[in-house]
Amino acid sequence: MNVQDIVNTVSSRLKLDPAVAEKAVGTIFSVLEHESGGVASAGIFTRIAGAGELAHSYDVMAGSDDSGGLVGSLTSLLGASFGEKAGAMVNGIAQLRSLGLDMTQIEQAGETLLLEARGAAGPQAVSGLVDAVPALKGHFGL
């Protein structure tokens, strides 16, 4: 399985334009990478061709220091208080919402991505990631 298979599945299940689905999948992979500190997501990224590259293409922390506005201020505040992890989740949700996704669609996209990742990388890799990032349960429909 490669990352394009996951993008296609998300696009089909959520009835999203393929370009929007790609951005959503890349954003979620980026959140997973930042939230897990890269350690727990490494197993998934090595088993799903292109996942790491897609995460970097839609990096939720790129430019977060100068993002400005309410989201930028909130991210800076959370980042100062809780570290990069909180900022990654806030930025990721903001990026997904800017694509026009509502919270139900965000949860469905995350759930679909993780189900597909479970099939590609194995249940232990995904369980380890979910255990390392408890916030996934509240934001990505788990």
Side-chain angles (χ1 to χ4, degrees), residues 63-83:
S64 64
D65 293 335
D66 60 354
S67 58
L70 179 60
V71 172
S73 299
L74 182 58
T75 300
S76 296
L77 177 64
L78 287 172
S81 299
F82 301 109

Side-chain angles (χ1 to χ4, degrees), residues 30 34 55-69 71-73 75-76 84 87-88 91 95:
S30 178
H34 286 287
H56 296 153
S57 294
Y58 297 102
D59 188 351
V60 297
M61 297 305 287
S64 64
D65 293 335
D66 60 354
S67 58
V71 172
S73 299
T75 300
S76 296
E84 178 182 332
N91 284 353
Q95 270 183 221

